[in-house]
Amino acid sequence: MTQTADTTPDVIDLLTGIAPGDRLDTIRRHRLQARTHAQQSYLALFEPAAPQPGRFSLADRQAVAAFVAGLHQQPDATAFYNAGLAAEGARQARAGVPQAIAAEVVRGAARGPYGSYPPGPLSEEDTPGPAYRVGDAQRAVLGTPLSAALEHAHLLTFHPRDASPAALQALLDAGWRATEIVTLSQLVAFLAFQIRVVAGLRALAAAPARTGKHPFSEATQA
C-alpha cells in the first residue's frame, strides 16, 4: 500500500542519519519549508497518492533511482532505492532487474561532467567523454523503454551539455510519451539535489559545532 506523508520517514533525514532533536534536526527545522518541499517531491515521484497517468511505473522509477544513485557513488542512497526496486519489482514479478541495474551502474561509471557548449567563449571548457549505452544482456532483461530511460539518465548526470532534441527523440522512439519524459527528467534532477543535500549534511555533521553561531548560518538549502 502506498504510504502517506504522515507515515513515510523524511528520506533526507533517513539517509543522513538525523535523529529528532539532534543538531542537524535543529538546523533543518530552520529551513522547514525547504525540508517539507524536498519530502513532498520524493512522495510525488515515488509514493504518489493516486495512480499516475502514463506508463512510467513505480518499479521503473525505483530502477532509474537505483541507477542514478549508483552513478553518484552514494552507497546509502543506492541501498535505499535498491530496496524500493526490490519491493516494487516483487509486486510486478520482474525477475533480474536489480541485478541488471547493478551491472549497468558498473558499466556506466564515469566522472564527468562531459559535453560541448555551443560554439563561443565557453567552448574552451568542452570535455569529451564516453557515450553510454545499456549492454545487450541487460537490455534483454530491462526492455527497450527502461533501457532508454537509463541512457537518458546517464546523459543528464554526466553529459548535461549534450542534452538535445535527438536525445528526447530517442525516448519517444522507445515508447516514452512527453509527460513521462518530463517526470523522468524531474526524477533525475531531484535525485541529484537529494544526494547533494545528504552529502552536505553529512559534512556538516562531521564538522565541530560552532559556538555562538545560529544553526541557520550553518545550514544549506536542505
Side-chain angles (χ1 to χ4, degrees):
M1 181 180 295
T2 299
Q3 293 178 300
T4 68
D6 294 332
T7 61
T8 301
D10 185 285
V11 176
I12 288 177
D13 284 359
L14 181 66
L15 295 177
T16 311
I18 295 175
D22 67 16
R23 182 166 68 103
L24 292 187
D25 180 50
T26 301
I27 289 172
R28 292 204 76 200
R29 287 182 186 280
H30 282 279
R31 294 290 180 90
L32 187 58
Q33 188 176 44
R35 189 182 206 175
T36 300
H37 286 171
Q39 181 69 358
Q40 288 176 338
S41 295
Y42 168 81
L43 293 170
L45 288 166
F46 296 101
E47 298 185 12
Q52 298 299 292
R55 294 170 293 181
F56 191 11
S57 69
L58 295 181
D60 283 353
R61 295 182 192 199
Q62 295 286 357
V64 173
F67 177 68
V68 172
L71 294 181
H72 281 281
Q73 300 181 37
Q74 293 294 326
D76 289 342
T78 302
F80 176 81
Y81 287 109
N82 273 331
L85 170 60
E88 289 296 337
R91 293 187 186 101
Q92 298 189 22
R94 296 186 62 186
V97 172
Q99 295 80 3
I101 293 296
E104 286 307 306
V105 168
V106 174
R107 292 188 70 258
R111 297 187 66 89
Y114 306 114
S116 301
Y117 288 103
L122 293 177
S123 295
E124 63 182 21
E125 297 182 19
D126 290 356
T127 306
Y132 164 77
R133 293 291 180 270
V134 172
D136 291 342
Q138 284 71 250
R139 189 179 297 273
V141 174
L142 300 173
T144 297
L146 182 53
S147 295
L150 297 192
E151 291 169 357
H152 193 72
H154 193 280
L155 175 78
L156 296 179
T157 302
F158 290 121
H159 288 263
R161 304 170 196 168
D162 295 332
S164 65
L168 297 178
Q169 187 62 49
L171 285 171
L172 293 171
D173 292 344
W176 285 76
R177 299 171 182 171
T179 54
E180 297 161 357
I181 293 172
V182 170
T183 302
L184 171 62
S185 300
Q186 290 173 333
L187 187 149
V188 175
F190 168 75
L191 288 167
F193 159 78
Q194 184 187 67
I195 288 169
R196 284 198 303 270
V197 169
V198 170
L201 287 169
R202 285 181 172 172
L204 191 58
R210 298 181 181 180
T211 58
K213 290 278 189 179
H214 193 283
F216 179 84
S217 65
E218 298 183 77
T220 57
Q221 279 284 6

